[in-house]
Amino acid sequence: MAAATPLLKDELDIVIPTIRNLDFLEMWRPFFQPYHLIIVQDGDPSKIIKVPEGFDYELYNRNDINRILGPKASCISFKDSACRCFGYMVSKKKYIYTIDDDCFVAKDPSGKDINALEQHIKNLLCPSTPHFFNTLYDPYRDGADFVRGYPFSMREGAPTAVSHGLWLNIPDYDAPTQLVKPHERNTRYVDAVMTIPKGTLFPMCGMNLAFDRDLIGPAMYFGLMGDGQPIGRYDDMWAGWCTKVICDHLGLGIKTGLPYIWHSKASNPFVNLKKEYNGIFWQEEIIPFFQAATLPKECTTVQQCYLELSKQVKKKLSSIDPYFTKLGEAMVTWIEAWDELNPTGDNLAKLSIADGPAKTKK
Amino acid sequence: MAAATPLLKDELDIVIPTIRNLDFLEMWRPFFQPYHLIIVQDGDPSKIIKVPEGFDYELYNRNDINRILGPKASCISFKDSACRCFGYMVSKKKYIYTIDDDCFVAKDPSGKDINALEQHIKNLLCPSTPHFFNTLYDPYRDGADFVRGYPFSMREGAPTAVSHGLWLNIPDYDAPTQLVKPHERNTRYVDAVMTIPKGTLFPMCGMNLAFDRDLIGPAMYFGLMGDGQPIGRYDDMWAGWCTKVICDHLGLGIKTGLPYIWHSKASNPFVNLKKEYNGIFWQEEIIPFFQAATLPKECTTVQQCYLELSKQVKKKLSSIDPYFTKLGEAMVTWIEAWDELNPTGDNLAKLSIADGPAKTKK
């Protein structure tokens, strides 16, 4: 059979944060080549990142970020993969898929290569079920449905804003678990997609993640991490907590489960522990904060929700550490920068920047 | 390897509601024979139910139920598999497994017979995680753990009160879905066990269900269904809603997923529609009622919680139909009967009945 037009070819960008040559794309070529890539180069901007031939991409390094955002560039992390969220901001597409450069194509139990992107798109294009649990998992999948006792009024579901994919081989463990179980590998292929219920938080991993920019983009801020910050490896967690609270408020769904990617290499647990230790303490207070957070009904856009959350963060988390005051302010800067780069009817007049990306290759 | 002593051999009863000879037990013999069975015979008590040789069982028919419970027998449904909850009440064991007599041994993807009971016991004996979602499913399973970002303070989990198993072949659909998709079969083996998060209701199916009587038994009332009632096929749903609200209040967990059984035969969708149609309407109000239900902190036992729920049912659901007044009263009768048959230090003095089961066979 001839290959059909790839799904959402002109409506999805693939965002990749990296500090090295992107040889990993070779393995993804059959699946990614039709799509546009946004590469966010972390670290030394003078370093040349090689991208395999034939990919359509734009690449931004720190100099580009500083030039495009000016003083607002302060909200984009440096020396941390949190910088990837700059790619979400400069994209002009409706959908984003983001993947780490140490993730490869996994195989399903039949030995077939998994087209992770295709599964994410399926997840995003069909509804979620955040208001009631379906025991046979995603009721919209082929061969499944809503089970007896599922209220008919809820069977339309909610729009899906986020698709959270999983990882075979190296699981996404924190440093203490890595240290305790250095040899544990995830070999269990769970053939399910499910909705995370309303009111329930989850640890969102940015390694293999897709979302609908129009529905939730401005909440996908990966925070202040890495260089000059007292914390790392909590960028995606931060985005996940904020995103979940806002999705719950706005009636949007988040799915998790398929697709799997092959996570090739565990990062250094000692380095990770140094990055994580504040987060490990702090999350014991941050998570109850987000579990209890409510947004006023006047907040009807993601931006409004996010700005309201930023106020609550400053007010309620700053007692943990002054870092949260800075983070709360960066959340505001992020939204200002987002709105500048993504003018709508409302804020088109405010648009002032004219610069494009540094290097675009077709 | 020689067979080890079956898990919880003297601490678990298998409860089976039936109207026919229990030939289905032949297939379960390797797994069930070591355990004690409680058979609740529904319908005509003069009918003889044949139980295959070699099983250790006690059998109760309607006459036995009437004799043992006296006027309180009114809370036990007749001509409906809801009668099974009488078996939960007369058991003296800590754990219950209940299964329908049209359920057979399923095979896992490797072709091996699934020991459903063993998996349920595993589920019940390790904790649940109702307060935060773990994206790699049950973190207590071999080869799995808590993922990065899971708060360490929550990793002890909560005691597991219920293990809800699933079904291959005939899925547990309502009559409308059966009518629309008569040929749909569940062929997807999802290799996962997960906790239903706190605050989320689910449709609990009684076909393949295990629970800890000590932790949640008195909430496992299957309501008034069948003969003389305006509703059927909502017995397990009713128990599931009440159980979930009480588990959430008491800090107990409910797991769903593995094990699968093989559900052999779809029940008649026309008959089912007649039983279900009131429930299909009513659940649109009942489910929001349970989603909003809260219990006062003074309710610290399952009985106290259940009696409080019975008041709320009478007060808030009776406007749907007078049936709910009757059901609210039956909930009280159920607890009275439960406490009579299950005397504790507190209510030992109240104990007055002396009758045992009708037929016990060893």
Side-chain angles (χ1 to χ4, degrees), chain B residues 18 39-49 59-74 76-79 83 86 90 341 353 355-359:
Chain B
T18 193
I39 298 160
V40 185
Q41 176 180 351
D42 194 21
D44 181 5
S46 70
K47 194 178 162 187
I48 304 295
I49 299 285
L59 183 150
Y60 298 89
N61 64 27
R62 191 70 208 183
N63 295 336
D64 303 317
I65 295 172
N66 290 339
R67 179 173 47 85
I68 292 170
L69 293 185
K72 295 195 182 75
S74 62
I76 304 297
S77 299
F78 187 48
K79 295 194 178 167
C83 67
F86 179 76
V90 294
L341 290 179
I353 62 156
D355 302 43
K359 305 158 198 86

Side-chain angles (χ1 to χ4, degrees), chain A residues 7 76 83 88 96 128 144 147 159 190 261-262 338 350 355:
Chain A
L7 281 165
I76 304 296
C83 67
Y88 310 158
I96 295 286
S128 293
V147 298
V190 174
I261 51 79
W262 181 265
W338 181 282
K350 289 192 256 162
D355 302 42

Side-chain angles (χ1 to χ4, degrees), chain A residues 233-263:
Chain A
R233 280 172 60 83
Y234 272 83
D235 52 340
D236 41 7
M237 297 299 142
W238 183 261
W241 300 325
C242 295
T243 292
K244 187 60 167 63
V245 168
I246 294 173
C247 282
D248 284 351
H249 176 74
L250 296 176
L252 303 171
I254 297 182
K255 291 183 170 183
T256 184
L258 302 184
Y260 287 94
I261 51 79
W262 181 265
H263 186 205

Side-chain angles (χ1 to χ4, degrees), chain A residues 131 133 141-142 145 148 151-153 155 172-174 181 188 197 200-201 203 233 236 284 287 291, chain B residues 131 133 141-142 144-145 148 151-153 155 172-174 181 188 197 200-201 203 233 236 284 287 291:
Chain A
H131 301 103
F133 193 91
R141 257 184 111 184
D142 279 350
D145 211 312
R148 180 171 58 91
F152 279 82
S153 64
R155 295 191 185 195
D172 186 31
Y173 287 165
D174 48 59
K181 291 177 152 185
R188 185 176 289 129
T200 300
L201 293 180
R233 280 172 60 83
D236 41 7
E284 298 291 343
I287 286 171
Q291 285 176 326
Chain B
H131 300 103
F133 192 92
R141 257 185 111 183
D142 279 348
D145 211 312
R148 180 171 57 90
F152 279 82
S153 65
R155 295 192 186 195
D172 186 30
Y173 287 164
D174 49 58
K181 291 178 153 182
R188 187 177 288 128
T200 300
L201 292 181
R233 281 172 60 83
D236 42 6
E284 298 292 342
I287 286 171
Q291 285 177 326

Side-chain angles (χ1 to χ4, degrees), chain B residues 121-167:
Chain B
I121 291 170
K122 279 186 194 170
N123 293 348
L124 288 170
L125 293 184
C126 79
S128 293
T129 53
H131 300 103
F132 200 75
F133 192 92
N134 195 51
T135 50
L136 288 184
Y137 312 101
D138 188 345
Y140 306 105
R141 257 185 111 183
D142 279 348
D145 211 312
F146 294 95
V147 298
R148 180 171 57 90
Y150 203 102
F152 279 82
S153 65
M154 293 183 187
R155 295 192 186 195
E156 276 196 24
T160 303
V162 180
S163 168
H164 178 262
L166 300 175
W167 341 276

Side-chain angles (χ1 to χ4, degrees), chain A residues 337-358:
Chain A
W338 181 282
D339 284 343
E340 260 187 31
L341 290 179
N342 294 277
T344 60
D346 289 347
N347 60 18
L348 207 55
K350 289 192 256 162
L351 185 68
S352 60
I353 61 155
D355 302 42

